[in-house]
Amino acid sequence: MSKEHREDIEISSDEKKIQLMYIDNIKKINKKYFEQTGKEKTYMTVTYGCQMNAHDSEKIDGMLIEMGYKKVLTESEADVLVYNTCCVRENAENKIFGNLGYLKKLKEKNKNLKIVLCGCMMQQEAIIDKIKQSYNHVDIIFGTYNLYKFPQLLFTSFETNEMIIDIWKKAQEIIEDLPSQRMYKFKASVNIMFGCNNFCTYCIVPYVRGRERSREVEDIIKEIEYLVEDGVKEITLLGQNVNSYGKNLKEPVTFAELLEKVSKVEGLERIRFMTSHPKDLSEDLIKVIKENDNICKHIHLPVQSGSNKLLKKMNRVYTREDYLKLVEKIKNEIPDISLTTDIIVGFPTETDEDNDETIDLVKEVKYSSAFTFIYSVRSGTPAANMDGQVEEADAKRRFNKLLEVLNPIVLEINKKQIGTKQRILVENISKNDETLVTGRSDNNSLVHFKGDKSLIGTFVDVKITDCKTFYLIGEQI
Ligand code: 5AD
Ligand code: SF4
């Protein structure tokens, strides 16, 4: 085993070249294998968690494809199996451990299988200890800060056949321009920053993704120009808190300024962004969203709770009144804005009254959709040690009460779209009905309508005719 939890890292500026060399070496090995057997080496990536992780997996896929691996859709067919993990809530971690048991059987059948674990969960020492103790069929483990080193780690694993663990405790420079394989030809995510400085007391992200680091404006714009040239119509700018973008750059830039620049990229039809922390969403940003047609009229604005007592304990740095004032300001400026949110139920010391305050806030804001979570204790975070942890039964009861109010509101908001014309970027054939396609409107609603695969990747004008809680139904105009 080698190189665990290193603090003494120095990255050479030739790092990209080094990784490209490893990619090339593995490519040659795979080519030789193909010439000898007529078979291609295969890979599969399994992704848990947020859009940030999904985007990291596109980078892993890109590197594997450059190395000559072919993507497969079942684990038993793969020669390299990558699990990109999440640790934001405990059930995500439990799923990984459950699957690792199954992978042991796969490895017994295919001795050459390489099992790779990466992502947020791997940044926790206790998890690494557990894997070393009970899951020694794992081949490679790396974390969130050194994803770009994957080619080197894979090559070393072929050479040594030992378990390789390479986890860094903190971030180094941002390595630009490594290969990436987009999930969709016509839409792409672009990291604008990494890490988070907010330390919400329930959240493990600042511990596993480190302090905020912003990419340079020029690098972001260059990447987007390249993507647009390559057929991308919609870009999602990603950061844990996009509103604090640019503060740590040598020449500070605001998110509003960046967004304005992105909106001017020739040929880019749609821009989304997430996530916005309510504490620092600026008036300038509202103005930029309002004034630029290619910026989607949708803001994901996690509130987490409607109780001032809990917001304070969560270290969210705004009050319920601040949040509502901000929502009012946004709605006044951009009346057709769609707002979505994240809510946590069962945070330490929560009472039925606190939950009722959240429910009241939901009624007032009228979200178009919301991600609701039951609080999950994350060891190492301040909330894990707070008095007043809530009984599971109480949390579930409050959670259900919240959903009983939330879902009809979402339906009510969706109903308002019936009869309107929406411009849909078609993404897929519907999973449940092959005669339907599905896509998203400017305001992020999911819309199904009659169509075939020739529409995928194109914009279609659709009249909304009906709606359910989680999607709209329409017809092509
Ligand atoms: N328990 C439950 N939900 C959490 N989130 C983050 N940490 C926790 C936790 N410990 C939720 C928050 C955040 C979203 C991405 O995940 O609502 O906005
Ligand atoms: Fe976690 Fe809060 Fe940072 Fe979001 S803003 S990643 S919830 S610490």
Side-chain angles (χ1 to χ4, degrees):
M1 261 175 250
S2 59
K3 303 184 235 162
E4 290 169 45
H5 286 91
R6 295 167 28 162
E7 284 184 277
D8 57 332
I9 319 280
E10 267 184 44
I11 297 185
S12 97
S13 56
D14 285 337
E15 197 53 57
K16 185 183 156 194
K17 271 194 215 143
I18 294 171
Q19 296 312 318
L20 292 176
M21 183 195 79
Y22 281 109
I23 287 180
D24 209 46
N25 286 347
I26 298 178
K27 195 177 189 166
K28 283 185 190 137
I29 297 172
N30 285 344
K31 194 165 166 237
K32 202 159 164 197
Y33 176 82
F34 180 73
E35 282 162 5
Q36 285 168 350
T37 63
K39 283 193 254 168
E40 281 179 283
K41 286 275 183 184
T42 56
Y43 84 93
M44 179 174 169
T45 312
V46 184
T47 310
Y48 296 83
C50 65
Q51 286 206 29
M52 197 74 83
N53 253 19
H55 188 43
D56 281 350
S57 288
E58 292 187 333
K59 296 177 191 170
I60 293 166
D61 286 8
M63 293 190 251
L64 282 162
I65 286 172
E66 282 290 311
M67 291 182 229
Y69 287 95
K70 191 180 98 183
K71 185 180 179 128
V72 287
L73 299 175
T74 48
E75 290 164 334
S76 58
E77 288 178 279
D79 295 309
V80 176
L81 190 48
V82 184
Y83 273 46
N84 188 5
T85 64
C86 167
C87 60
V88 168
R89 284 169 293 276
E90 193 185 4
N91 53 6
E93 287 189 348
N94 291 342
K95 259 191 228 157
I96 305 279
F97 281 122
N99 283 359
L100 280 181
Y102 159 73
L103 294 188
K104 187 165 190 158
K105 294 202 188 85
L106 270 190
K107 182 107 182 186
E108 278 160 12
K109 278 195 210 142
N110 176 6
K111 292 265 179 302
N112 294 323
L113 171 67
K114 290 285 178 201
I115 298 175
V116 184
L117 302 180
C118 61
C120 296
M121 194 176 156
M122 300 302 130
Q123 289 294 141
Q124 303 168 87
E125 272 174 64
I127 297 283
I128 301 294
D129 290 343
K130 187 166 166 180
I131 294 171
K132 282 197 300 195
Q133 243 171 29
S134 313
Y135 302 92
N136 56 16
H137 53 292
V138 169
D139 295 283
I140 301 171
I141 302 177
F142 58 92
T144 54
Y145 304 125
N146 55 347
L147 180 147
Y148 72 89
K149 266 188 77 183
F150 174 46
Q152 181 173 0
L153 300 178
L154 185 58
F155 186 82
T156 314
S157 167
F158 285 130
E159 299 268 287
T160 64
N161 244 335
E162 277 180 21
M163 185 193 275
I164 296 175
I165 304 176
D166 193 0
I167 310 286
W168 297 0
K169 284 202 166 164
K170 53 181 198 271
Q172 301 293 322
E173 67 188 278
I174 298 170
I175 308 285
E176 294 287 344
D177 293 337
L178 279 167
S180 175
Q181 179 68 26
R182 294 199 303 278
M183 216 173 324
Y184 296 94
K185 187 96 192 84
F186 52 88
K187 66 171 196 170
S189 300
V190 172
N191 292 115
I192 61 166
M193 60 197 299
F194 302 93
C196 180
N197 285 355
N198 291 313
F199 289 95
C200 302
T201 54
Y202 50 80
C203 186
I204 198 148
V205 167
Y207 306 90
V208 295
R209 293 227 170 228
R211 297 293 66 71
E212 270 171 24
R213 284 105 55 210
S214 296
R215 289 177 69 199
E216 295 290 343
V217 175
E218 299 74 53
D219 290 331
I220 295 169
I221 299 289
K222 207 170 75 188
E223 181 178 348
I224 294 174
E225 284 171 348
Y226 163 77
L227 288 167
V228 170
E229 216 164 276
D230 200 41
V232 166
K233 297 172 178 173
E234 179 181 299
I235 292 280
T236 303
L237 305 176
L238 291 182
Q240 301 294 348
N241 173 18
V242 292
N243 298 330
S244 60
Y245 170 79
K247 286 184 185 158
N248 62 343
L249 288 173
K250 261 192 219 130
E251 284 173 37
V253 179
T254 66
F255 179 55
E257 287 165 343
L258 174 75
L259 193 58
E260 173 109 60
K261 284 208 168 94
V262 173
S263 79
K264 300 291 177 282
V265 170
E266 190 74 35
L268 178 56
E269 302 211 38
R270 250 190 197 173
I271 304 146
R272 302 187 183 281
F273 58 88
M274 68 187 315
T275 292
S276 276
H277 194 303
K279 79 179 160 62
D280 46 15
L281 193 151
S282 70
E283 291 194 5
D284 285 349
L285 181 64
I286 300 174
K287 192 160 168 263
V288 170
I289 299 170
K290 180 180 174 179
E291 289 176 356
N292 290 284
D293 284 345
N294 59 358
I295 302 177
C296 287
K297 304 296 174 267
H298 165 230
I299 305 179
H300 186 63
L301 198 63
V303 66
Q304 313 297 1
S305 171
S307 146
N308 279 338
K309 177 191 93 190
L310 294 188
L311 287 170
K312 188 146 197 249
K313 278 186 174 290
M314 288 176 169
N315 190 30
R316 291 293 288 179
V317 209
Y318 54 82
T319 62
R320 160 198 185 89
E321 292 73 26
D322 296 335
Y323 186 92
L324 288 171
K325 218 184 276 167
L326 175 64
V327 166
E328 197 187 332
K329 204 188 300 172
I330 296 171
K331 284 185 174 173
N332 279 342
E333 288 298 318
I334 316 170
D336 57 344
I337 195 83
S338 141
L339 294 174
T340 57
T341 201
D342 293 343
I343 297 170
I344 298 177
V345 175
F347 187 81
T349 76
E350 184 192 76
T351 60
D352 283 341
E353 288 69 37
D354 292 317
N355 196 47
D356 288 344
E357 290 193 50
T358 302
I359 290 174
D360 278 347
L361 181 137
V362 161
K363 284 184 189 158
E364 200 165 333
V365 177
K366 296 197 187 304
Y367 294 105
S368 345
S369 91
F371 296 102
T372 46
F373 307 104
I374 289 187
Y375 168 69
S376 170
V377 179
R378 303 287 64 209
S379 98
T381 62
N385 299 323
M386 284 181 186
D387 291 336
Q389 299 287 329
V390 171
E391 293 289 330
E392 199 180 320
D394 287 329
K396 281 195 176 145
R397 179 173 46 78
R398 289 178 198 146
F399 186 79
N400 290 336
K401 190 173 176 196
L402 170 65
L403 287 193
E404 273 168 28
V405 176
L406 182 65
N407 288 341
I409 289 176
V410 170
L411 186 63
E412 178 194 324
I413 295 292
N414 278 345
K415 267 194 186 145
K416 288 200 172 139
Q417 299 195 61
I418 295 179
T420 62
K421 181 177 124 182
Q422 302 290 337
R423 187 166 175 254
I424 309 300
L425 178 55
V426 180
E427 295 183 359
N428 284 311
I429 297 285
S430 156
K431 279 193 198 116
N432 301 323
D433 182 344
E434 278 186 12
T435 66
L436 299 179
V437 289
T438 95
R440 286 195 183 265
S441 62
D442 179 289
N443 63 21
N444 207 36
S445 299
L446 194 63
V447 180
H448 298 298
F449 63 97
K450 283 251 176 283
D452 60 37
K453 66 173 195 277
S454 68
L455 297 178
I456 293 175
T458 67
F459 283 100
V460 178
D461 284 335
V462 169
K463 185 175 166 198
I464 305 302
T465 53
D466 198 1
C467 80
K468 303 277 183 253
T469 306
F470 301 109
Y471 61 91
L472 304 172
I473 299 160
E475 51 195 42
Q476 191 171 352
I477 300 172

